[in-house]
Amino acid sequence: MFANTFPTEAEMARLFARMLWEIRAVHFNAAEPYKFASGMASPVYIDCRKILSYPRVRSAVIDFAAATILRGAGFEQFDAVAGGETAGIPLAALLADRLGLPMIYVRKKPKGHGRGARIEGELPEGARVLVIEDLTTAGGSMMSFIEAIRAAGGVVEHGIALFYYDIFPEGRPGMRAKGVTLHNISTWRDVLAEARRDRLFDERTLGEVGDFLAAPLEWSAAHGGVSSLGT
């Protein structure tokens, strides 16, 4: 069960960013940008799934997630924790265990046999569900899972992404407009601040990353990627 310790939000953000660098989950490469499925070119890339392979990091991050939710939403606001297929499933199991709550998970699409279920586990009508993801860019995939839970009779007003891009203006406000408060631990700006603090890259690379975070689609278009999402 969670130990009820509450580091400051700033300290959790800094430590999580440091952990991500330590386990080599984040990468900067302005010279050869990464290309995402959306077609966007980016000098940054993150793989939060690596957290699961490092027990001390994993435990600390789940503590941070629990502290973030208890502080931001309350202590008795949830009846279950849900994870989305696939990265959110182990995180939901870990966080549910830490908070002493049941756990369910949500498929990306209905199972093609048996009951054709999209929700796996026990979901009572009206259950208040917290959804967890490893990361989110603008909240699109998380909202897909949330809508599936709502369609099955659950109530979802809060979601947590361990890592939030926080570079697209429609992200958090867009989710709020749909009745969901998005919580997170760290963002790309926290990761960049840690890289600057420890001088992990040359100033040119750090500057390019800063330019990308300030205007991601403009940076993408200037480096061979799309200039708008969904095109």
Side-chain angles (χ1 to χ4, degrees):
M1 191 73 74
F2 180 54
N4 292 324
T5 55
F6 292 87
T8 65
E9 292 180 3
E11 182 69 359
M12 289 190 292
R14 185 188 70 80
L15 287 173
F16 185 33
R18 178 181 172 182
M19 293 173 195
L20 290 169
W21 280 116
E22 189 173 341
I23 66 174
R24 296 179 176 84
V26 289
H27 305 275
F28 287 179
N29 191 336
E32 298 178 15
Y34 304 97
K35 186 67 70 72
F36 297 150
S38 63
M40 188 174 75
S42 167
V44 296
Y45 177 79
I46 185 166
D47 179 9
C48 285
R49 296 170 192 247
K50 292 187 71 173
I51 293 167
L52 297 170
S53 297
Y54 295 84
R56 286 177 289 276
V57 169
R58 183 179 68 214
S59 180
V61 169
I62 293 301
D63 275 347
F64 290 172
T68 298
I69 284 300
L70 293 177
R71 177 190 281 122
F75 285 74
E76 300 296 336
Q77 299 303 309
F78 304 105
D79 302 306
V81 179
E85 181 187 6
T86 55
I89 295 175
L91 296 174
L94 291 164
L95 184 58
D97 184 67
R98 195 71 104 241
L99 295 176
L101 291 171
M103 175 257 183
I104 62 174
Y105 72 86
V106 190
R107 295 180 181 275
K108 292 179 180 177
K109 58 184 180 180
K111 188 164 58 173
H113 58 279
R115 296 181 298 111
R118 192 171 174 195
I119 309 294
E120 298 291 356
E122 190 72 21
L123 178 62
E125 184 74 24
R128 302 165 300 170
V129 181
L130 168 66
V131 175
I132 183 170
E133 289 259 69
D134 62 334
L135 62 84
T136 190
T137 52
S141 63
M142 183 181 285
M143 282 306 309
S144 173
F145 295 131
I146 288 172
E147 294 301 341
I149 295 169
R150 287 174 169 174
V155 176
V156 185
E157 296 179 343
H158 296 269
I160 180 169
L162 302 182
F163 190 87
Y164 175 43
Y165 270 52
D166 199 22
I167 59 176
F168 299 112
E170 65 271 23
R172 204 185 302 272
M175 294 187 69
R176 189 178 301 117
K178 296 174 182 176
V180 179
T181 299
L182 175 64
H183 306 267
N184 66 277
I185 303 173
S186 286
T187 70
W188 274 121
R189 289 176 179 81
D190 298 310
V191 167
L192 176 58
E194 199 65 18
R196 288 190 184 281
R197 183 179 296 112
D198 290 347
R199 299 179 181 179
L200 299 178
F201 290 90
D202 60 86
E203 283 301 321
R204 179 182 178 279
T205 297
L206 295 172
E208 288 281 1
V209 170
D211 291 344
F212 169 77
L213 298 184
L217 290 173
E218 290 86 343
W219 195 98
S220 171
H223 293 80
V226 298
S227 58
S228 63
L229 295 179
T231 59

